[in-house]
Coordinates of all heavy atoms in Angstrom, one line a residue:
L1 N 0.8 -1.2 0.0 CA 0.0 0.0 0.0 C 0.9 1.3 0.0 O 0.4 2.3 -0.5 CB -0.9 0.0 1.2 CG -2.1 -1.0 1.2 CD1 -2.9 -1.0 2.5 CD2 -2.9 -0.9 0.0
K2 N 2.0 1.2 0.5 CA 2.9 2.4 0.6 C 3.4 2.7 -0.8 O 3.9 3.8 -1.0 CB 4.1 2.1 1.5 CG 3.7 2.0 2.9 CD 4.9 1.7 3.8 CE 4.6 1.5 5.2 NZ 5.8 1.1 6.0
A3 N 3.3 1.8 -1.8 CA 3.8 2.1 -3.1 C 2.8 3.0 -3.9 O 3.2 3.5 -4.9 CB 4.0 0.8 -3.9
R4 N 1.6 3.1 -3.4 CA 0.6 3.9 -4.2 C 0.8 5.4 -3.9 O 1.2 5.8 -2.8 CB -0.8 3.5 -3.9 CG -1.3 3.8 -2.5 CD -2.7 3.3 -2.3 NE -3.1 3.5 -0.9 CZ -3.8 4.5 -0.4 NH1 -4.3 5.4 -1.2 NH2 -4.0 4.5 0.9
P5 N 0.6 6.3 -4.8 CA 0.8 7.7 -4.6 C -0.1 8.3 -3.5 O -1.3 7.8 -3.4 CB 0.6 8.4 -5.9 CG 0.2 7.3 -6.9 CD 0.1 6.0 -6.2
G6 N 0.3 9.2 -2.8 CA -0.5 9.8 -1.7 C -1.5 10.8 -2.4 O -1.3 11.3 -3.5
V7 N -2.6 11.1 -1.7 CA -3.7 11.9 -2.2 C -3.5 13.3 -1.6 O -4.1 14.3 -2.1 CB -5.0 11.4 -2.1 CG1 -5.2 10.1 -2.9 CG2 -5.3 11.1 -0.6
V8 N -2.8 13.4 -0.6 CA -2.6 14.7 0.1 C -1.2 15.2 -0.2 O -0.2 14.4 -0.1 CB -2.8 14.5 1.6 CG1 -2.6 15.8 2.4 CG2 -4.1 14.0 1.9
A9 N -1.0 16.5 -0.5 CA 0.3 17.0 -0.8 C 1.4 16.8 0.2 O 2.5 16.6 -0.1 CB 0.2 18.5 -1.2
E10 N 1.0 16.8 1.5 CA 2.0 16.7 2.6 C 2.5 15.2 2.7 O 3.4 15.0 3.4 CB 1.4 17.2 3.9 CG 1.1 18.6 3.9 CD -0.3 19.0 3.3 OE1 -1.2 18.1 3.4 OE2 -0.4 20.0 2.7
E11 N 1.8 14.2 2.1 CA 2.1 12.9 2.3 C 3.5 12.6 1.6 O 3.8 13.2 0.6 CB 1.1 11.9 1.7 CG -0.2 11.8 2.5 CD -1.1 10.8 1.9 OE1 -0.7 9.8 1.3 OE2 -2.3 11.0 2.1
A12 N 4.2 11.7 2.2 CA 5.5 11.3 1.6 C 5.2 10.6 0.3 O 4.1 10.1 0.0 CB 6.2 10.3 2.5
G13 N 6.2 10.7 -0.6 CA 6.1 10.0 -2.0 C 6.0 8.5 -1.8 O 6.1 8.0 -0.8
P14 N 5.6 7.9 -3.0 CA 5.5 6.4 -2.9 C 6.8 5.7 -2.5 O 7.9 6.2 -2.7 CB 5.2 6.0 -4.4 CG 4.9 7.3 -5.1 CD 5.5 8.5 -4.2
V15 N 6.7 4.6 -1.8 CA 7.8 3.8 -1.4 C 8.0 2.6 -2.4 O 7.0 2.0 -2.8 CB 7.6 3.2 0.0 CG1 8.7 2.3 0.4 CG2 7.4 4.3 1.0
A16 N 9.2 2.5 -2.9 CA 9.4 1.4 -3.9 C 9.3 0.0 -3.2 O 9.7 -0.1 -2.0 CB 10.9 1.5 -4.5
I17 N 8.8 -0.9 -3.9 CA 8.7 -2.3 -3.5 C 9.9 -3.0 -3.9 O 10.2 -3.0 -5.1 CB 7.4 -3.0 -4.0 CG1 6.2 -2.2 -3.5 CG2 7.4 -4.4 -3.5 CD1 4.9 -2.7 -4.1
L18 N 10.7 -3.6 -3.0 CA 11.9 -4.4 -3.4 C 11.5 -5.6 -4.3 O 10.4 -6.1 -4.2 CB 12.6 -4.8 -2.2 CG 13.1 -3.7 -1.3 CD1 13.8 -4.3 -0.1 CD2 14.1 -2.7 -2.0
G19 N 12.5 -6.0 -5.1 CA 12.3 -7.2 -5.9 C 11.6 -6.9 -7.3 O 11.4 -5.7 -7.6
A20 N 11.3 -7.9 -8.0 CA 10.7 -7.9 -9.3 C 9.2 -8.3 -9.2 O 8.9 -9.1 -8.4 CB 11.4 -8.7 -10.3
P21 N 8.4 -7.7 -10.0 CA 7.0 -8.1 -10.1 C 6.9 -9.6 -10.4 O 7.8 -10.1 -11.0 CB 6.4 -7.3 -11.2 CG 7.3 -6.2 -11.4 CD 8.6 -6.7 -11.0
P22 N 5.8 -10.2 -9.9 CA 5.7 -11.7 -10.2 C 5.4 -11.9 -11.7 O 4.9 -11.1 -12.4 CB 4.4 -12.1 -9.3 CG 3.7 -10.8 -9.1 CD 4.7 -9.7 -9.1
N23 N 5.8 -13.1 -12.1 CA 5.6 -13.5 -13.5 C 4.1 -14.0 -13.5 O 3.8 -15.1 -13.0 CB 6.6 -14.6 -13.9 CG 6.3 -15.2 -15.3 OD1 5.3 -14.9 -15.9 ND2 7.2 -16.0 -15.7
M24 N 3.2 -13.3 -14.1 CA 1.8 -13.6 -14.0 C 1.5 -14.8 -15.0 O 0.4 -15.3 -15.0 CB 0.9 -12.4 -14.3 CG 1.0 -11.4 -13.2 SD 1.0 -12.1 -11.5 CE -0.7 -12.5 -11.4
A25 N 2.4 -15.2 -15.9 CA 2.2 -16.3 -16.7 C 2.4 -17.6 -15.8 O 1.9 -18.6 -16.1 CB 3.3 -16.4 -17.8
R26 N 3.2 -17.4 -14.8 CA 3.4 -18.5 -13.8 C 3.4 -17.9 -12.4 O 4.4 -17.7 -11.7 CB 4.8 -19.2 -14.0 CG 4.8 -19.9 -15.3 CD 6.1 -20.6 -15.5 NE 6.3 -21.5 -14.3 CZ 7.3 -22.4 -14.1 NH1 8.1 -22.6 -15.1 NH2 7.4 -23.0 -13.1
P27 N 2.2 -17.5 -11.9 CA 2.2 -16.7 -10.7 C 2.6 -17.6 -9.5 O 2.5 -18.8 -9.5 CB 0.7 -16.4 -10.5 CG 0.0 -17.3 -11.4 CD 0.9 -17.7 -12.5
P28 N 3.2 -17.0 -8.4 CA 3.6 -17.8 -7.3 C 2.4 -18.3 -6.5 O 1.2 -17.8 -6.7 CB 4.3 -16.8 -6.4 CG 3.7 -15.4 -6.8 CD 3.4 -15.6 -8.3
L29 N 2.5 -19.3 -5.7 CA 1.5 -19.8 -4.9 C 1.1 -18.7 -3.9 O 1.9 -17.9 -3.5 CB 1.9 -21.0 -4.1 CG 2.1 -22.3 -4.9 CD1 2.6 -23.4 -4.0 CD2 0.9 -22.7 -5.7
G30 N -0.2 -18.7 -3.5 CA -0.6 -17.7 -2.5 C -0.7 -16.3 -3.0 O -1.0 -16.1 -4.2
C31 N -0.4 -15.4 -2.2 CA -0.5 -14.0 -2.5 C 0.6 -13.7 -3.6 O 1.7 -14.0 -3.4 CB -0.3 -13.1 -1.3 SG -0.3 -11.3 -1.7
P32 N 0.2 -13.0 -4.7 CA 1.2 -12.7 -5.7 C 2.3 -11.8 -5.2 O 3.4 -11.6 -5.8 CB 0.5 -12.1 -6.8 CG -1.0 -11.9 -6.4 CD -1.1 -12.6 -5.1
F33 N 2.1 -11.1 -4.1 CA 3.1 -10.2 -3.5 C 4.0 -10.8 -2.4 O 4.8 -10.2 -1.8 CB 2.4 -8.9 -3.0 CG 1.8 -8.1 -4.1 CD1 0.4 -8.2 -4.3 CD2 2.5 -7.3 -5.0 CE1 -0.2 -7.5 -5.3 CE2 1.9 -6.6 -6.0 CZ 0.5 -6.7 -6.1
N34 N 3.7 -12.1 -2.1 CA 4.4 -12.7 -0.9 C 5.9 -12.6 -1.0 O 6.6 -12.5 0.0 CB 3.9 -14.1 -0.6 CG 4.4 -15.1 -1.5 OD1 5.5 -15.5 -1.5 ND2 3.5 -15.7 -2.4
E35 N 6.4 -12.7 -2.2 CA 7.9 -12.7 -2.3 C 8.5 -11.3 -2.1 O 9.7 -11.2 -1.9 CB 8.3 -13.3 -3.7 CG 7.9 -14.7 -3.9 CD 8.2 -15.2 -5.3 OE1 8.6 -14.5 -6.2 OE2 8.0 -16.4 -5.5
R36 N 7.7 -10.3 -2.2 CA 8.2 -8.9 -2.1 C 7.7 -8.2 -0.8 O 8.1 -7.1 -0.5 CB 7.7 -8.1 -3.3 CG 8.2 -8.7 -4.6 CD 7.5 -8.1 -5.8 NE 8.0 -6.7 -6.0 CZ 7.5 -5.8 -6.8 NH1 6.5 -6.1 -7.5 NH2 8.1 -4.6 -6.9
C37 N 6.8 -8.9 0.0 CA 6.2 -8.2 1.1 C 7.0 -8.6 2.4 O 7.2 -9.7 2.8 CB 4.8 -8.8 1.2 SG 3.9 -8.1 2.7
A38 N 7.4 -7.5 3.1 CA 8.1 -7.7 4.4 C 7.3 -8.3 5.5 O 7.8 -8.8 6.5 CB 8.7 -6.4 4.8
L39 N 5.9 -8.3 5.3 CA 5.0 -8.7 6.3 C 4.4 -10.1 6.0 O 3.6 -10.6 6.7 CB 3.8 -7.7 6.5 CG 4.2 -6.3 6.8 CD1 3.0 -5.4 6.8 CD2 5.0 -6.2 8.0
A40 N 4.9 -10.8 4.9 CA 4.4 -12.0 4.4 C 4.7 -13.1 5.5 O 5.7 -13.2 6.1 CB 5.0 -12.4 3.1
S41 N 3.7 -14.0 5.6 CA 3.8 -15.2 6.5 C 3.6 -16.4 5.7 O 3.4 -16.4 4.5 CB 2.6 -15.0 7.6 OG 1.4 -15.2 7.0
A42 N 3.6 -17.6 6.4 CA 3.4 -18.8 5.7 C 2.1 -18.9 5.0 O 2.0 -19.4 3.9 CB 3.6 -20.0 6.7
E43 N 1.0 -18.3 5.6 CA -0.3 -18.3 5.1 C -0.3 -17.5 3.7 O -0.9 -18.0 2.8 CB -1.3 -17.7 6.0 CG -2.7 -17.6 5.5 CD -3.7 -17.0 6.4 OE1 -3.3 -16.1 7.2 OE2 -4.9 -17.3 6.3
C44 N 0.5 -16.5 3.7 CA 0.6 -15.7 2.5 C 1.2 -16.4 1.3 O 0.9 -16.2 0.2 CB 1.4 -14.4 2.7 SG 0.8 -13.3 4.0
R45 N 2.2 -17.3 1.7 CA 2.9 -18.1 0.7 C 2.0 -19.3 0.2 O 2.3 -19.9 -0.8 CB 4.2 -18.5 1.2 CG 5.2 -17.4 1.3 CD 6.6 -17.8 1.8 NE 6.7 -18.1 3.2 CZ 6.7 -17.2 4.2 NH1 6.8 -15.9 3.9 NH2 6.8 -17.5 5.5
E46 N 1.0 -19.7 1.0 CA 0.2 -20.9 0.6 C -1.2 -20.6 0.1 O -1.7 -21.4 -0.7 CB 0.1 -21.7 1.9 CG 1.4 -22.2 2.3 CD 1.4 -22.8 3.8 OE1 0.3 -22.8 4.4 OE2 2.4 -23.2 4.3
K47 N -1.8 -19.5 0.5 CA -3.2 -19.2 0.2 C -3.4 -17.8 -0.4 O -3.0 -16.9 0.2 CB -4.0 -19.4 1.5 CG -5.5 -19.3 1.3 CD -6.2 -19.5 2.7 CE -7.7 -19.2 2.5 NZ -8.3 -19.2 3.9
L48 N -4.1 -17.8 -1.5 CA -4.5 -16.5 -2.1 C -5.5 -15.8 -1.2 O -6.5 -16.3 -0.9 CB -5.1 -16.7 -3.5 CG -5.4 -15.5 -4.3 CD1 -4.1 -14.7 -4.7 CD2 -6.1 -15.9 -5.6
P49 N -5.2 -14.5 -0.8 CA -6.2 -13.8 0.0 C -7.4 -13.4 -0.8 O -7.3 -13.1 -2.0 CB -5.4 -12.6 0.5 CG -4.3 -12.4 -0.5 CD -4.0 -13.7 -1.1
A50 N -8.6 -13.3 -0.2 CA -9.8 -12.9 -0.8 C -9.8 -11.3 -1.0 O -9.3 -10.6 -0.2 CB -11.0 -13.3 0.0
L51 N -10.3 -10.9 -2.1 CA -10.5 -9.5 -2.4 C -11.7 -9.0 -1.7 O -12.8 -9.5 -1.9 CB -10.6 -9.3 -3.9 CG -10.6 -7.8 -4.4 CD1 -9.3 -7.1 -4.0 CD2 -10.8 -7.8 -5.9
Q52 N -11.6 -8.0 -0.8 CA -12.7 -7.6 0.1 C -12.7 -6.0 0.1 O -11.6 -5.4 -0.1 CB -12.5 -8.1 1.5 CG -12.6 -9.6 1.6 CD -12.3 -10.1 3.0 OE1 -11.8 -9.4 3.8 NE2 -12.6 -11.4 3.2
A53 N -13.8 -5.5 0.5 CA -13.9 -4.0 0.7 C -13.0 -3.6 1.8 O -12.9 -4.3 2.9 CB -15.3 -3.6 1.0
A54 N -12.3 -2.5 1.7 CA -11.4 -2.0 2.8 C -12.3 -1.4 3.8 O -13.1 -0.5 3.5 CB -10.4 -1.1 2.2
P55 N -12.1 -1.7 5.1 CA -12.9 -1.1 6.1 C -12.6 0.5 6.2 O -11.5 0.9 6.0 CB -12.4 -1.7 7.5 CG -11.5 -2.8 7.0 CD -11.1 -2.7 5.6
D56 N -13.7 1.2 6.4 CA -13.6 2.7 6.5 C -13.2 3.4 5.2 O -12.8 4.5 5.2 CB -12.6 3.1 7.6 CG -13.0 2.5 9.0 OD1 -14.3 2.4 9.2 OD2 -12.2 2.2 9.8
H57 N -13.1 2.7 4.1 CA -12.7 3.3 2.8 C -13.6 2.7 1.7 O -13.3 1.8 1.0 CB -11.2 3.0 2.5 CG -10.3 3.6 3.4 ND1 -9.9 4.9 3.3 CD2 -9.6 3.1 4.4 CE1 -9.1 5.2 4.3 NE2 -8.9 4.1 5.0
P58 N -14.9 3.3 1.7 CA -15.8 2.8 0.6 C -15.2 2.9 -0.8 O -14.6 3.9 -1.1 CB -17.0 3.7 0.8 CG -16.8 4.4 2.1 CD -15.4 4.4 2.4
G59 N -15.4 1.9 -1.6 CA -14.9 2.0 -2.9 C -13.5 1.4 -3.1 O -13.1 1.2 -4.2
E60 N -12.8 1.2 -2.0 CA -11.5 0.6 -2.1 C -11.5 -0.9 -1.7 O -12.3 -1.3 -0.9 CB -10.5 1.3 -1.1 CG -10.1 2.7 -1.6 CD -9.0 3.3 -0.7 OE1 -8.2 2.5 0.0 OE2 -8.9 4.5 -0.7
L61 N -10.7 -1.6 -2.5 CA -10.7 -3.1 -2.2 C -9.3 -3.4 -1.8 O -8.3 -2.8 -2.1 CB -11.0 -3.9 -3.5 CG -12.4 -3.6 -4.1 CD1 -12.5 -4.4 -5.4 CD2 -13.4 -4.1 -3.1
R62 N -9.2 -4.5 -1.0 CA -7.8 -5.0 -0.5 C -7.9 -6.5 -0.5 O -8.9 -7.1 -0.3 CB -7.5 -4.4 0.9 CG -8.3 -4.9 2.0 CD -8.0 -4.3 3.3 NE -6.8 -4.5 3.8 CZ -6.3 -5.5 4.6 NH1 -7.2 -6.4 5.0 NH2 -5.1 -5.6 5.0
A63 N -6.7 -7.1 -0.6 CA -6.6 -8.6 -0.6 C -5.3 -8.8 0.3 O -4.2 -8.8 -0.2 CB -6.4 -9.1 -2.0
C64 N -5.6 -9.1 1.6 CA -4.5 -9.4 2.5 C -5.0 -10.3 3.6 O -6.1 -10.1 4.0 CB -3.9 -8.1 3.0 SG -2.4 -8.3 4.0
H65 N -4.2 -11.2 4.0 CA -4.6 -12.1 5.1 C -4.6 -11.4 6.4 O -5.3 -11.7 7.3 CB -3.7 -13.3 5.2 CG -3.8 -14.3 4.0 ND1 -5.0 -14.9 3.7 CD2 -3.0 -14.6 3.1 CE1 -4.8 -15.7 2.7 NE2 -3.6 -15.5 2.2
K66 N -3.8 -10.3 6.5 CA -3.7 -9.5 7.8 C -4.8 -8.4 7.8 O -5.1 -7.8 6.8 CB -2.3 -9.0 7.9 CG -1.3 -10.0 8.1 CD 0.1 -9.5 8.1 CE 1.1 -10.5 8.4 NZ 1.1 -11.7 7.5
S67 N -5.3 -8.1 9.0 CA -6.2 -7.0 9.1 C -5.5 -5.7 8.9 O -4.3 -5.6 8.9 CB -6.9 -7.0 10.5 OG -5.9 -6.6 11.4
V68 N -6.3 -4.6 8.6 CA -5.7 -3.3 8.3 C -4.9 -2.9 9.6 O -3.8 -2.4 9.5 CB -6.8 -2.3 8.0 CG1 -6.2 -0.9 8.0 CG2 -7.5 -2.6 6.7
Q69 N -5.5 -3.1 10.8 CA -4.8 -2.8 12.0 C -3.5 -3.6 12.2 O -2.5 -3.0 12.6 CB -5.8 -3.1 13.2 CG -5.2 -2.7 14.6 CD -6.1 -3.0 15.7 OE1 -7.2 -3.3 15.6 NE2 -5.6 -2.8 16.9
A70 N -3.5 -4.9 11.9 CA -2.3 -5.7 12.1 C -1.2 -5.2 11.1 O 0.0 -5.1 11.5 CB -2.6 -7.1 11.8
V71 N -1.6 -4.8 9.9 CA -0.6 -4.3 8.9 C 0.0 -3.0 9.4 O 1.2 -2.8 9.4 CB -1.2 -4.1 7.5 CG1 -0.3 -3.4 6.6 CG2 -1.6 -5.5 6.9
A72 N -0.9 -2.1 9.9 CA -0.4 -0.8 10.4 C 0.6 -1.0 11.6 O 1.6 -0.4 11.7 CB -1.6 0.0 10.9
E73 N 0.2 -2.0 12.5 CA 1.1 -2.2 13.7 C 2.4 -2.8 13.3 O 3.4 -2.4 13.8 CB 0.4 -3.1 14.7 CG -0.8 -2.5 15.4 CD -1.7 -3.5 16.2 OE1 -1.3 -4.7 16.3 OE2 -2.7 -3.0 16.8
L74 N 2.4 -3.8 12.4 CA 3.6 -4.4 11.9 C 4.5 -3.4 11.1 O 5.7 -3.4 11.3 CB 3.3 -5.6 11.0 CG 2.8 -6.8 11.7 CD1 2.2 -7.8 10.7 CD2 3.8 -7.5 12.6
S75 N 3.8 -2.5 10.4 CA 4.6 -1.5 9.6 C 5.2 -0.5 10.6 O 6.4 -0.1 10.4 CB 3.7 -0.8 8.6 OG 3.2 -1.7 7.6
A76 N 4.5 -0.1 11.6 CA 5.0 0.9 12.5 C 6.2 0.2 13.3 O 7.2 0.9 13.5 CB 3.9 1.3 13.5
R77 N 6.1 -1.0 13.7 CA 7.1 -1.7 14.4 C 8.4 -1.8 13.5 O 9.5 -1.6 13.9 CB 6.7 -3.1 14.8 CG 7.3 -3.6 16.1 CD 6.7 -4.8 16.6 NE 5.3 -5.0 16.5 CZ 4.7 -6.1 16.2 NH1 5.3 -7.2 16.0 NH2 3.4 -6.1 16.1
E78 N 8.1 -2.2 12.2 CA 9.3 -2.3 11.2 C 9.9 -1.0 11.0 O 11.2 -0.9 11.0 CB 8.7 -2.8 9.9 CG 9.7 -3.1 8.9 CD 9.1 -3.5 7.6 OE1 8.7 -2.7 6.8 OE2 9.0 -4.7 7.4
A79 N 9.2 0.1 11.0 CA 9.8 1.5 10.7 C 10.6 1.9 12.0 O 11.6 2.6 11.8 CB 8.7 2.5 10.4
S80 N 10.1 1.5 13.1 CA 10.9 2.0 14.3 C 12.2 1.2 14.5 O 13.0 1.6 15.3 CB 10.0 1.8 15.6 OG 9.8 0.4 15.9
H81 N 12.3 0.1 13.8 CA 13.6 -0.7 13.9 C 14.5 -0.4 12.8 O 15.6 -1.0 12.7 CB 13.2 -2.2 14.0 CG 12.6 -2.6 15.3 ND1 11.3 -2.5 15.5 CD2 13.2 -3.1 16.4 CE1 11.1 -3.0 16.7 NE2 12.1 -3.3 17.3
A82 N 14.1 0.5 11.9 CA 15.0 0.7 10.7 C 16.2 1.6 11.1 O 16.3 2.3 12.0 CB 14.1 1.4 9.6

């Protein structure tokens, strides 16, 4: 999510995602981003997450095994250790 451009001028610019995009002719098992995601778990590598409406953001969809809150907490913890 950090790779998408911000909608507010004060937001930081997009963050590059490490690695190469998945080969969609031969997609990886599970989430297509699991090889590039710092928060990926075993579940991410084994099972494709369902596409669902994002809580508190009508019209936005997300596909992640982790809740929005869990992703925010893990991202904050990762940033504080950088």
Side-chain angles (χ1 to χ4, degrees):
L1 291 176
K2 291 179 187 176
R4 68 183 172 101
V7 293
V8 179
E10 294 83 33
E11 286 186 27
V15 175
I17 299 172
L18 299 177
N23 177 349
M24 295 315 287
R26 295 183 53 172
L29 293 176
C31 176
F33 297 100
N34 77 66
E35 296 173 357
R36 301 172 72 191
C37 179
L39 306 176
S41 65
E43 181 180 28
C44 302
R45 291 183 283 279
E46 297 166 1
K47 182 179 172 189
L48 182 67
L51 187 62
Q52 301 176 343
D56 301 326
H57 295 281
E60 288 188 22
L61 300 174
R62 68 184 300 270
C64 187
H65 293 297
K66 294 175 177 52
S67 70
V68 172
Q69 180 180 353
V71 171
E73 290 171 0
L74 288 168
S75 295
R77 210 172 324 142
E78 183 180 86
S80 69
H81 288 85

